[in-house]
Amino acid sequence: MPHRVANFFRSSASSLEQQVSTLTKTSRKRESPHRTGRETASSERVFSYASSIEDDTENRQLQTRSQSQPLTSSRRGRMTDSNLNRSDSGASDKEHHNHHHRLSFPGMHFGRSGRETHANSLLAVDWKLESPPIVMYGDAENSTGALVSGQLFLDIKQAEVEVESFNATLSIRLTQKKAFVHHCNDCTNQTTELKKWCLLPQPLLLKKGTHSFPISVLLEGHLPATVDGALVGIAYEFKAEAVVRSNGVLLPAVKLEKVLEVKRSLPVPELPHHSIRVFPPTNIKANVHYPHVIHPIGTYTLSIRLDGIAKHNTRVNTMEYWKLKKLTWRLEEISKTIAPACEKHCPKAIEGGPQPKKGMSRTDTRVIGEKTIFSGWKSNYGGLTDSTVELELEYNLAKHAKYACDTKSRDGSEITHQLMVEMVVSQEWAPVNKPALVTHTGVGRILRMHFTTILTERGGIGISWDNEAPPIYQDVPPSPPAYCEEMVFGDSSIIDRIESLDALSGDGTSPNYTATGPSGSDGSSMSSGGR
């Protein structure tokens, strides 16, 4: 009897140790303690259904193994094993419930990029621009536009490929960021086709290699430049499409989509702009010199001279001064546009009533550069007429400012800029005999000025396309004058009339020679002799 009890306790302890070791090995397989957080997260991402099935299989084997252990003992032993099996199954169910299955699709890409090239096993479409950067010089009324030229390439990858058609288009897309109806695609996007090329008017069988097709277009000067503003976006989209026929079946079109960046450069005046501002009811007068045209990259100087800041109060025999305390400059961008309504959302006209608006006016103002200064100016309060404040401040666009250059289009979209200067002045007084005894009156004023500023791109070489073109036939200047007169030497050749250098007489003089005049009609002769 004692040996049976000993065997019972020995078998129970061995079965428990075996279960604990099995659980430890399983947990080590699932998660290693030496892994970092990033590796654990990455391993969780790549879990698949196969791994979960293997875990469930291991759990079932573990439960079967634990249930197959021989337990021929008392009620206490049976309760212990049943509790262990119940806790083990509950832990496995909880772990299976908390496990998240993540599916990854490495070959699938959602969305569509703005610049896209569709690949094909038969051919590929590519392009190359040969013209300089697209820059329009001058304003919309005087600009001659910009010339765009280049080549499209069809790279045939097989011996022979039948190309059904090959077309290209250039269009301008206007995107309303605050559309008439926000969820409507037609209200948000308006597209206008500028140019279309039919590069293959009929199906053609092309051999292996690269085939080029020239393209060119003149963008008119009134067209707007590329804009990405707060209210509107303007983009020039180029699309090429090649359709291939294989075994009598049309395959999906091979497309090439590109976006052209069009800029406008306005001329910069040589002298800075001069402006005079008066601030009633005070006598303060501001003389300002500033550049009227600026560029996104660069620093510019604004000069201010304040006069009339001193006043003589004859009633109490004191001098009153306006002293500058703070100055703030700010570059503002003002966007205006009209968001049109599409045919679906256009308001219907009422008989006998006013015509409804077919668009909504939008306006937005944003700051692209600002700064506040409290010192840096030169003040002179010497007398009634000599009291002045002079300063020069530097301003530019903020480092990471999102800006848009000045533009104006025919659809009502317009982007302008202005420089705002705000000065805070306070009034002080002092006796005429004792100017050092300054007393603050507590009176202050804000002097605000706005200056129209044009923000444009740099012109580079600054030569438009029409000035770079060679002259046409009508513009060729007259040729040099023709030589109509001919020298006539009679019957003898010109060699007989040329005297050699060594043909000298014995006394060192050259012999006499005769020559006819250039017309050959007077028959006069010339004689020369040595002196």
Side-chain angles (χ1 to χ4, degrees):
M1 189 68 181
H3 66 278
R4 293 183 179 179
V5 176
N7 292 335
F8 168 76
F9 285 110
R10 189 179 295 110
S11 61
S12 300
S14 61
S15 62
L16 288 175
E17 291 176 359
Q18 186 176 4
Q19 293 178 8
V20 170
S21 62
T22 306
L23 288 174
T24 305
K25 291 180 181 179
T26 306
S27 61
R28 286 181 180 178
K29 288 181 180 179
R30 292 180 181 175
E31 182 177 359
S32 176
H34 298 287
R35 292 185 178 180
T36 59
R38 184 177 300 178
E39 293 176 351
T40 306
S42 61
S43 63
E44 290 177 359
R45 294 191 187 97
V46 298
F47 273 168
S48 62
Y49 289 106
S51 62
S52 62
I53 294 174
E54 292 175 0
D55 294 342
D56 295 342
T57 305
E58 291 178 1
N59 293 333
R60 294 193 188 95
Q61 293 178 357
L62 181 60
Q63 293 177 6
T64 306
R65 188 181 304 170
S66 61
Q67 292 176 2
S68 62
Q69 295 292 335
L71 297 177
T72 57
S73 180
S74 64
R75 183 178 180 182
R76 182 178 179 181
R78 290 195 300 269
M79 291 176 62
T80 304
D81 292 340
S82 62
N83 292 335
L84 286 174
N85 294 332
R86 188 178 302 170
S87 62
D88 190 11
S89 61
S92 61
D93 294 338
K94 185 177 180 180
E95 182 180 356
H96 180 72
H97 177 73
N98 294 334
H99 182 69
H100 298 279
H101 299 284
R102 290 180 173 86
L103 301 179
S104 61
F105 302 93
M108 184 176 296
H109 300 279
F110 298 95
R112 181 180 179 183
S113 61
R115 303 180 180 181
E116 188 174 351
T117 302
H118 299 261
N120 189 282
S121 60
L122 300 179
L123 59 83
V125 182
D126 199 0
W127 80 331
K128 179 182 179 182
L129 282 181
E130 299 175 348
S131 56
I134 309 172
V135 180
M136 300 181 182
Y137 295 96
D139 54 5
E141 291 77 13
N142 302 321
S143 176
T144 57
L147 185 64
V148 182
S149 61
Q151 293 188 23
L152 280 173
F153 300 100
L154 279 181
D155 186 11
I156 307 299
K157 301 179 181 179
Q158 294 188 2
E160 288 184 350
V161 174
E162 183 181 359
V163 181
E164 182 71 16
S165 63
F166 188 31
N167 301 322
T169 57
L170 177 63
S171 58
I172 179 172
R173 178 183 293 274
L174 180 66
T175 303
Q176 296 288 343
K177 299 185 178 180
K178 293 184 179 180
F180 189 85
V181 177
H182 296 285
H183 62 273
C184 179
N185 185 39
D186 295 335
C187 292
T188 304
N189 301 303
Q190 294 90 35
T191 305
T192 304
E193 186 177 292
L194 301 178
K195 180 71 173 181
K196 183 176 182 180
W197 295 272
C198 184
L199 303 175
L200 284 181
Q202 58 186 4
L204 185 64
L205 191 65
L206 298 179
K207 295 184 179 180
K208 185 176 182 180
T210 303
H211 305 267
S212 61
F213 300 85
I215 55 173
S216 63
V217 63
L218 176 62
L219 299 179
E220 299 181 3
H222 67 84
L223 294 176
T226 301
V227 174
D228 186 13
L231 295 178
V232 65
I234 300 175
Y236 289 82
E237 298 179 348
F238 179 83
K239 297 180 180 180
E241 181 176 340
V243 179
V244 181
R245 182 184 296 273
S246 178
N247 298 327
V249 180
L250 292 179
L251 300 180
V254 182
K255 299 180 181 180
L256 173 70
E257 299 179 1
K258 297 290 183 179
V259 178
L260 299 177
E261 184 177 4
V262 180
K263 299 181 180 180
R264 183 179 296 277
S265 178
L266 300 177
V268 180
E270 297 180 359
L271 299 177
H273 191 74
H274 180 216
S275 178
I276 299 176
R277 304 295 172 91
V278 181
F279 304 94
T282 65
N283 296 327
I284 301 177
K285 182 176 65 174
N287 288 273
V288 183
H289 292 81
Y290 68 97
H292 190 56
V293 179
I294 63 174
H295 303 292
I297 300 176
T299 303
Y300 303 91
T301 303
L302 180 138
S303 302
I304 302 178
R305 176 187 173 93
L306 298 179
D307 297 321
I309 60 175
K311 179 183 177 181
H312 183 207
N313 193 343
T314 57
R315 187 177 59 181
V316 293
N317 196 21
T318 58
M319 294 291 295
E320 297 178 355
Y321 302 98
W322 291 100
K323 290 193 174 181
L324 182 60
K325 298 297 183 180
K326 184 179 73 170
L327 185 143
T328 302
W329 64 264
R330 183 164 58 244
L331 271 174
E332 297 177 347
E333 181 179 292
I334 304 171
S335 303
K336 298 179 181 179
T337 186
I338 298 177
C342 64
E343 296 181 358
K344 180 180 179 181
H345 298 99
C346 184
K348 304 298 181 182
I350 302 176
E351 296 182 0
Q355 293 292 332
K357 295 183 178 180
K358 297 183 179 180
M360 296 292 293
S361 178
R362 310 289 190 188
T363 305
D364 182 80
T365 302
R366 63 180 179 182
V367 178
I368 58 177
E370 64 177 340
K371 188 178 182 181
T372 301
I373 57 177
F374 298 92
S375 61
W377 48 80
K378 182 172 63 175
S379 304
N380 181 18
Y381 299 98
L384 183 62
T385 58
D386 299 337
S387 298
T388 58
V389 175
E390 297 179 356
L391 64 97
E392 290 186 356
L393 60 91
E394 295 183 348
Y395 64 97
N396 56 1
L397 272 68
K399 187 175 181 180
H400 300 289
K402 189 177 181 180
Y403 64 90
C405 293
D406 280 51
T407 185
K408 185 177 182 180
S409 59
R410 294 182 177 180
D411 62 349
S413 301
E414 183 180 6
I415 297 178
T416 57
H417 298 81
Q418 67 177 5
L419 174 64
M420 192 278 295
V421 179
E422 185 179 274
M423 297 179 291
V424 178
V425 295
S426 64
Q427 191 180 41
E428 300 176 357
W429 69 272
V432 176
N433 299 330
K434 297 179 180 179
L437 299 178
V438 179
T439 304
H440 297 275
T441 62
V443 178
R445 293 189 181 276
I446 297 177
L447 311 179
R448 188 177 290 110
M449 299 177 288
H450 294 85
F451 306 101
T452 302
T453 304
I454 298 176
L455 180 64
T456 181
E457 297 287 349
R458 295 187 181 272
I461 58 177
I463 301 177
S464 181
W465 69 271
D466 52 344
N467 295 328
E468 292 181 349
I472 59 178
Y473 181 77
Q474 290 82 358
D475 296 340
V476 176
S479 301
Y483 296 96
C484 299
E485 298 180 355
E486 297 181 358
M487 298 183 65
V488 179
F489 297 98
D491 298 336
S492 60
S493 63
I494 190 174
I495 301 178
D496 299 338
R497 298 290 181 177
I498 297 177
E499 180 184 3
S500 60
L501 294 178
D502 55 352
L504 298 175
S505 60
D507 57 354
T509 61
S510 61
N512 296 338
Y513 68 92
T514 60
T516 59
S519 61
S521 60
D522 55 355
S524 61
S525 62
M526 297 179 60
S527 62
S528 63
R531 293 182 181 179

